[in-house]
């Protein structure tokens, strides 16, 4: 997979503390930097002098400033062999170095320094010479070799983004993909449709199936077909081919009139789906799998069912999901403030919904090198199309988030609701995960920047389950999940003694693990099959008389635009 795609898929959007980030917090961090800078003129002069010395060395050809070998922006040989271009690169590196030294010297507490560092990096990244035609030798060569056609194509790409992509640079070429034809192609039907969701029942692909079915609860800000991309990376297909009766919820894309949908509504919909799955399959238990914000929803569902002494829930699988967040888990976490959370809540209530495009745009500007400047260079300066990649197609197909649900997610973050035992009330009960005793499988991703794996590991301490398995996939966020058999780079970590009690900390757990080559899917499937009851003859059709087949999979709700 090309580097451009590889970087982008590591940073697919996910719901988390970022929804509480506001522009006031960002401007506040800038104000603190400026205030502290102005408070000590001598310090400013010291760093100005150091910067001047670097500039003199560059002008006289004596500077030894060089980019990090991992910085792909300066890999073109021109940066080394052309004196003018090398000097331009070194001027930029001198600014980068000077900014880092200046920040370290500011009299700020750790949180303020983290905020200043984060904002400074965004600003400095935007100043990179590679972001412009005159400062990008690769783009200049492309313009010459193409007879200027690359510049024409780049202008066309920029125009198309202004007109058709709300001014955001495109991260994916959507043209090759069509839902139900070459993406999300597993056979099945919608067997239940409500105002809020569709329940998709996928057709078995084996003669026999396990008695206990599996229901997947997807995140509320992304479409459900992440579970069924191309056949070679479809979790749905893998489950079906291994005899699992497979059901997936597809959320309705809320409009402003549906901004009142809150967590209780979503949990009740999950419960309605579980009951339908049980009646269709004749099973008294339903295994549940969920990821990201869907995992938070599933955790609340498990708590609610337990509080009502309802034993419908079988096993529970949580993938790349944080239930016990800490402010320093993610790079942008330092920017989140109480005032920012309150402002985010008020704006959500006023607007009714948070547009998926707005969430994606805000997220992109928090990682501009990976999600903006890479594509500015590729699409506009080089005149190339963005990659046609299924994960990025899905990532660009965002949905709105109802204001009431966003408010509930903010409450979960502010109160650390999942860490408290019966202290926080939500979904008409007091949340207490310590009473949930279902067998659990929890997955994290080594390079996950969205839901860091050590944060996902904290979930192992929250539940009352006696049987919890934790697996660490060697990739980032969605790629940690979409890591099917056959991937030569796939590997994962598990406890050497799978039956021993999980340690209290992630670091301690890592010390007792072994690295396993290959996909974690077979390991999980073996775990799931052991908790899926006996085998029986596969049903001839999807649904039943009470829940008849409606539209073919993946349904109608996934077709709705943001």
């Amino acid at each position: 997979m090309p580097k451009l795609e590889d970087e982008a898929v590591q940073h697919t959007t996910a719901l988390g503390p970022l929804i509480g980030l506001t522009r006031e917090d960002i401007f506040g961090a800038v104000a603190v930097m400026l205030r502290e800078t102005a408070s000590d003129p001598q310090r400013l002069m010291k760093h100005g002098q150091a910067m001047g010395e670097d500039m003199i060395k560059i002008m006289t050809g004596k500077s030894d400033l060089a980019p990090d070998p991992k910085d792909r922006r300066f890999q073109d040989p021109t940066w080394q062999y052309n004196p003018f271009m090398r000097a331009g690169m070194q001027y930029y590196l001198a600014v980068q170095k000077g900014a880092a030294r200046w920040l370290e010297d500011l009299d700020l507490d750790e949180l303020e320094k983290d905020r200043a560092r984060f904002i400074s990096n965004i600003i400095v990244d935007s100043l990179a010479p590679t972001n412009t035609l005159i400062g990008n030798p690769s783009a200049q060569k492309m313009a010459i070799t193409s007879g200027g056609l690359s510049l024409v194509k780049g202008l066309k790409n920029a125009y198309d983004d202004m007109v058709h992509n709300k001014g955001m640079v495109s991260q994916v070429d959507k043209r090759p993909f069509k839902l139900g034809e070459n993406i999300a192609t597993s056979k099945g039907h919608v067997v239940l449709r409500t105002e809020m969701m569709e329940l998709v029942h996928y057709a078995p692909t084996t003669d026999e199936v396990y008695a206990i079915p599996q229901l997947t609860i997807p995140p509320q800000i992304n479409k459900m077909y992440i579970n069924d991309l191309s056949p070679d990376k479809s979790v749905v297909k893998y489950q079906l081919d291994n005899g699992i009766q497979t059901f997936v919820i597809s959320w309705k894309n809320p409009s402003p009139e549906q901004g009142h949908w809150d967590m209780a509504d979503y949990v009740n919909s999950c419960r309605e789906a579980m009951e339908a799955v049980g009646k269709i399959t004749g099973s008294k238990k339903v295994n549940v799998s969920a990821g990201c914000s869907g995992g938070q929803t599933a955790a609340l569902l498990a708590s609610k069912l337990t509080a009502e002494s309802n034993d419908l829930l079988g096993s529970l699988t949580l993938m790349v999901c944080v239930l016990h967040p800490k402010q320093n888990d993610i790079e942008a976490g330092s920017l989140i403030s109480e005032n920012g959370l309150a402002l985010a809540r008020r704006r959500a209530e006023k607007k009714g919904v948070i547009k998926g495009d707005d969430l994606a745009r805000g997220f992109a500007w928090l990682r501009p090198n990976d999600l903006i400047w890479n594509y500015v260079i590729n699409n506009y300066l080089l005149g190339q199309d963005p990659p046609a990649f299924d994960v990025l197609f899905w990532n660009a197909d965002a949905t709105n988030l109802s204001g009431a649900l966003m408010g509930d997610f903010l409450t979960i973050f502010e109160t650390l609701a999942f860490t408290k035992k019966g202290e926080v009330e939500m979904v008409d009960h007091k949340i207490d995960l310590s009473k949930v005793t279902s067998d659990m499988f929890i997955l994290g991703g080594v390079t996950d920047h969205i839901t860091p794996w050590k944060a996902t590991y904290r979930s192992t301490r929250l539940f009352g389950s006696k049987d919890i398995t934790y697996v660490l996939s060697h990739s980032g966020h969605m790629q940690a999940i979409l890591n099917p058999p056959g991937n030569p780079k796939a590997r994962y970590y598990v406890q050497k003694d799978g039956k021993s009690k999980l340690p209290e900390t992630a670091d301690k757990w890592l010390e007792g693990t072994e690295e396993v080559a290959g996909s974690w899917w077979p390991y999980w499937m073996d775990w799931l099959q052991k908790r899926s009851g006996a085998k029986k003859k596969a049903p001839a059709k999807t649904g039943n008389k009470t829940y008849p087949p409606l539209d073919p999979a993946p349904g109608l709700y996934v077709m709705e635009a943001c």
Side-chain angles (χ1 to χ4, degrees):
M1 185 169 58
K3 282 288 186 180
L4 187 65
E5 301 170 26
D6 193 34
E7 286 298 320
V9 297
Q10 297 295 330
H11 307 299
T12 46
T13 52
L15 194 61
L18 290 181
I19 61 175
L21 185 60
T22 65
R23 56 182 175 269
E24 285 82 3
D25 290 320
I26 296 173
F27 293 149
V30 173
V32 168
M33 286 192 291
L34 296 177
R35 180 201 68 203
E36 184 59 26
T37 299
S39 69
D40 191 341
Q42 283 189 326
R43 181 172 52 205
L44 185 60
M45 289 180 60
K46 180 182 71 172
H47 288 287
Q49 183 179 355
M51 179 80 72
E53 291 172 357
D54 276 334
M55 296 302 176
I56 292 173
K57 288 180 181 179
I58 294 169
M59 286 188 287
T60 57
K62 297 179 180 180
S63 174
D64 58 358
L65 285 173
D68 188 310
K70 295 180 181 179
D71 191 339
R72 294 187 294 108
R73 295 174 296 179
F74 301 106
Q75 288 184 351
D76 190 295
T78 305
W79 293 111
Q80 300 301 323
Y81 300 115
N82 183 304
F84 176 77
M85 298 300 290
R86 184 172 65 249
M89 174 188 69
Q90 288 179 327
Y91 280 128
Y92 171 72
L93 295 176
V95 171
Q96 191 178 54
K97 184 181 80 170
R101 287 181 172 177
W102 165 62
L103 286 174
E104 287 304 314
D105 206 18
L106 292 180
D107 188 19
L108 302 174
D109 62 35
E110 199 59 38
L111 181 60
E112 288 178 327
K113 190 163 288 187
D114 284 344
R115 289 174 176 170
R117 190 180 296 114
F118 188 83
I119 295 298
S120 174
N121 287 340
I122 291 176
I123 296 171
V124 172
D125 286 344
S126 71
L127 300 175
T130 47
N131 298 337
T132 65
L133 179 61
I134 195 173
N136 193 312
S138 298
Q140 295 168 14
K141 292 174 187 175
M142 181 68 77
I144 294 170
T145 57
S146 70
L149 290 178
S150 64
L151 300 181
V152 174
K153 180 66 185 304
L155 287 172
K156 180 182 181 300
N157 287 343
Y159 174 79
D160 287 343
D161 283 339
M162 289 296 293
V163 175
H164 303 298
N165 201 40
K166 299 183 180 179
M168 276 296 292
V169 59
S170 296
Q171 297 176 8
V172 62
D173 183 357
K174 300 178 182 179
R175 293 171 297 181
F177 302 106
K178 192 165 181 63
L179 284 175
E181 293 185 12
N182 59 2
I183 196 167
T185 59
S186 293
K187 303 301 180 184
H189 290 90
V190 173
V191 293
L192 171 63
R193 178 179 292 122
T194 69
E195 183 189 14
M196 181 173 278
M197 61 93 175
E198 290 178 331
L199 175 64
V200 181
H201 181 190
Y202 287 94
T205 59
T206 55
D207 294 333
E208 291 186 318
V209 295
Y210 287 89
I212 299 177
Q214 168 98 350
L215 172 67
T216 296
I217 300 173
Q220 286 93 337
I221 66 164
N222 292 112
K223 301 290 181 67
M224 52 77 80
Y225 62 84
I226 185 62
N227 298 283
D228 186 36
L229 288 171
S230 56
D232 62 331
K233 62 178 71 164
S234 169
V235 179
V236 165
K237 183 179 184 300
Y238 189 74
Q239 290 181 180
L240 293 170
D241 290 347
N242 283 277
I244 301 298
Q245 299 187 74
T246 302
F247 295 78
V248 180
I249 289 175
S250 177
W251 297 118
K252 170 81 172 176
N253 193 359
S255 64
E257 293 73 28
Q258 293 150 341
H260 62 275
W261 288 353
D262 61 8
M263 183 60 80
D265 294 318
Y266 279 94
V267 169
N268 289 335
S269 286
C270 292
R271 180 175 182 163
E272 184 178 3
M274 285 184 73
E275 291 171 349
V277 170
K279 291 174 182 175
I280 291 170
T281 61
S283 176
K284 294 181 179 180
K285 292 280 187 181
V286 176
N287 294 329
V288 169
S289 173
C292 305
S293 62
Q296 294 181 325
T297 309
L300 277 164
L301 172 67
S303 176
K304 173 71 170 175
L305 291 173
T306 301
E308 296 179 353
S309 300
N310 187 323
D311 59 358
L312 182 59
L313 178 64
S315 68
L316 179 59
T317 297
L318 298 179
M319 302 180 186
V320 294
C321 169
V322 176
L323 300 180
H324 182 185
K326 294 184 178 180
Q327 190 160 27
N328 61 352
D329 282 338
I330 57 176
E331 294 171 353
S334 61
L335 295 179
I336 299 169
S337 68
E338 290 184 13
N339 182 56
L341 291 170
L343 281 171
R345 190 188 299 275
R346 288 200 295 272
R347 284 175 183 156
E349 292 171 352
K350 183 177 179 180
K351 292 181 180 179
V353 296
I354 306 301
K355 298 288 287 183
D357 290 340
D358 293 339
L359 283 170
R361 182 180 289 104
F363 183 84
W365 276 108
L366 293 175
R367 302 198 67 87
N369 263 356
D370 300 315
L371 299 178
I372 292 179
W373 300 121
N374 266 346
Y375 291 94
V376 167
I377 294 168
N378 180 80
N379 302 5
Y380 303 162
L381 302 186
L382 298 177
Q384 297 178 350
D385 289 327
F389 190 54
D390 50 14
V391 177
L392 296 181
F393 172 78
W394 164 83
N395 186 56
D397 195 10
T399 63
N400 300 329
L401 177 67
S402 69
L405 181 64
M406 178 176 174
D408 285 339
F409 277 123
L410 291 174
T411 296
I412 291 171
F413 177 73
E414 288 177 294
T415 63
L416 294 177
F418 292 119
T419 69
K420 310 293 173 63
K421 299 179 180 180
E423 295 180 25
V424 179
E425 186 167 342
M426 189 176 287
V427 194
D428 302 320
H429 83 295
K430 293 187 180 296
I431 302 169
D432 191 350
L433 296 185
S434 68
K435 294 181 179 178
V436 176
T437 58
S438 299
D439 289 356
M440 298 196 64
F441 186 102
I442 300 177
L443 175 78
V446 172
T447 56
D448 191 340
H449 300 284
I450 315 304
T451 54
W453 81 267
K454 290 183 180 181
T456 68
Y457 185 83
R458 293 185 205 121
S459 297
T460 64
R461 317 307 303 167
L462 302 178
F463 292 86
S465 309
K466 295 181 179 179
D467 188 333
I468 300 180
T469 298
Y470 186 87
V471 171
L472 182 59
S473 176
H474 214 284
S475 196
H477 207 55
M478 283 299 121
Q479 291 298 92
I481 298 176
L482 300 180
N483 211 340
N487 179 1
K489 297 181 180 179
R491 57 192 192 276
Y492 62 95
Y493 298 92
V494 292
Q495 275 185 299
K496 293 177 183 177
D497 179 6
K499 294 183 179 180
S500 62
K501 186 177 180 181
L502 291 176
E504 286 194 16
T505 66
D507 289 328
K508 201 71 177 175
W509 174 85
L510 192 60
E511 292 174 6
T513 62
E514 59 180 342
E515 183 180 271
V516 182
S519 167
W520 62 271
W521 286 16
Y523 185 88
W524 174 58
M525 185 50 59
D526 179 65
W527 181 92
L528 183 61
Q529 287 172 336
K530 290 175 181 176
R531 292 157 178 81
S532 297
K535 283 189 173 183
K536 66 177 186 178
K537 182 177 174 60
K541 296 185 296 184
T542 55
N544 61 13
K545 289 183 179 181
T546 307
Y547 299 95
L550 303 173
D551 295 280
L556 301 182
Y557 286 175
V558 295
M559 306 295 180
E560 296 176 345
C562 188

